[in-house]
Amino acid sequence: MNRTMKIALFGPPGAGKGTQAKYIVEKFNIPQISTGDLLRAQVREGTPLGKMAKEFMDKGALVPNEVVIEMMKERISDGDCSKGFILDGFPRALSQAEALSGIVKLDAVVNIVVDESALVRRITGRRMCKCGGTFHVDFNPPKQTDICDQCGASLYQRDDDKEETVLSRLEVYRSQTEPLVEYYGKEDIVHDFDGNRQIDQISSDILGFLSKLEG
Ligand code: ADP
Ligand code: ADP
Ligand code: ZN
């Protein structure tokens, strides 16, 4: 690899960021850094940070910026991130993007664009595994009902994937996260992908684009 591959996956909740990140990890062997996964691990372990974060997550609100920024700064400074990484779910607010710019320059923002009408069904049908596996009851079912294809553990539905919370999360996306497309647009690094298609059609476009970026 000649160039670094420091990328952020963008898109509303349910766009398919986590799903697409798995393909990128597999092909380019760079780590996926998901703030949502990191926060859920803290919640599961019952740490003070996890207890605090859960209150915000359950409401569909953002966890306070300082907390998330600190967590990400630490993670990005790990040795496995030196050649590249995929940010999934970060940055999500202007102050997060500004803090990130202070430590690293992104090479590309992969923006997954999906019609709003599709998102609620994607999210309410999502089933997760603690290993990071992501499935959908109709669109991407596991081979065996409620069992993870990757590790065999039981799948679960996230507390915040209920319809009431989803609507708040979409509103938070529109007001706080979507403006970042313009922020990164100024650096000319945003690339849109039509996320309304099948999972493998989207991934083949994204992987093709990243191969060219790698140079
Ligand atoms: P995000 O990380 O952006 O919130 P996920 O990758 O978790 O999104 O995807 C949300 C849900 O939609 C999951 O249940 C996933 O299996 C499903 N999904 C992902 N991509 C597609 C797609 N292109 N078409 C239909 N369903 C999809
Ligand atoms: P999705 O992609 O489905 O929105 P995530 O797993 O990325 O879900 O995030 C779940 C929740 O974790 C968010 O609703 C929010 O409460 C919290 N969270 C994740 N990333 C961030 C972030 N960068 N800043 C603040 N809160 C975050
Ligand atoms: Zn699993």
Side-chain angles (χ1 to χ4, degrees):
M1 196 190 311
N2 304 321
R3 313 224 325 244
T4 60
M5 198 183 278
K6 296 178 173 165
I7 60 180
L9 285 175
F10 254 62
K17 300 180 295 295
T19 301
Q20 295 300 330
K22 297 288 175 296
Y23 291 90
I24 303 172
V25 169
E26 209 172 291
K27 172 146 185 181
F28 296 104
N29 199 26
I30 49 176
Q32 170 194 8
I33 309 178
S34 158
T35 33
D37 287 349
L38 291 171
L39 290 168
R40 280 185 289 278
Q42 298 279 337
V43 171
R44 262 199 309 277
E45 287 161 24
T47 65
L49 192 157
K51 286 189 180 128
M52 184 275 286
K54 190 172 180 356
E55 290 186 26
F56 292 91
M57 295 166 83
D58 282 348
K59 286 187 289 197
L62 293 185
V63 173
N65 289 320
E66 317 80 72
V67 174
V68 189
I69 289 170
E70 205 41 53
M71 197 172 81
M72 291 307 272
K73 273 190 180 161
E74 249 175 59
R75 181 64 188 90
I76 290 174
S77 66
D78 285 350
D80 65 335
C81 293
S82 62
K83 291 229 175 63
F85 49 74
I86 311 154
L87 300 180
D88 166 7
F90 181 91
R92 237 175 163 105
L94 188 58
S95 67
Q96 295 181 15
E98 288 169 346
L100 181 65
S101 297
I103 51 170
V104 70
K105 188 181 172 331
L106 293 179
D107 298 305
V109 170
V110 168
N111 187 30
I112 308 178
V113 182
V114 179
D115 291 340
E116 232 184 89
S117 56
L119 296 172
V120 173
R121 184 150 172 231
R122 282 200 191 177
I123 300 174
T124 53
R126 170 160 58 191
R127 296 293 180 271
M128 302 275 294
C129 179
K130 60 177 174 355
C131 80
T134 303
F135 301 86
H136 190 281
V137 289
D138 301 314
F139 306 139
N140 185 23
K143 291 193 185 80
Q144 241 183 302
T145 308
D146 286 335
I147 301 292
C148 177
D149 288 355
Q150 294 168 35
C151 77
S154 296
L155 301 180
Y156 69 96
Q157 182 175 29
R158 276 167 47 178
D159 289 340
D160 61 343
D161 276 352
K162 311 273 153 61
E163 189 157 352
E164 319 82 81
T165 322
V166 170
L167 298 177
S168 319
R169 286 162 56 202
L170 290 174
E171 176 50 33
V172 166
Y173 172 77
R174 277 191 293 268
S175 59
Q176 302 199 49
T177 310
E178 205 169 29
L180 297 187
V181 174
E182 202 180 311
Y183 176 88
Y184 287 112
K186 291 189 185 127
E187 295 179 24
D188 213 16
I189 57 169
V190 180
H191 301 267
D192 287 354
F193 292 86
D194 177 2
N196 294 299
R197 299 168 298 157
Q198 303 276 339
I199 292 173
D200 55 346
Q201 291 177 306
I202 304 165
S203 69
S204 103
D205 275 8
I206 294 178
L207 296 179
F209 162 74
L210 292 175
S211 299
K212 280 189 270 164
L213 183 76
E214 194 182 20

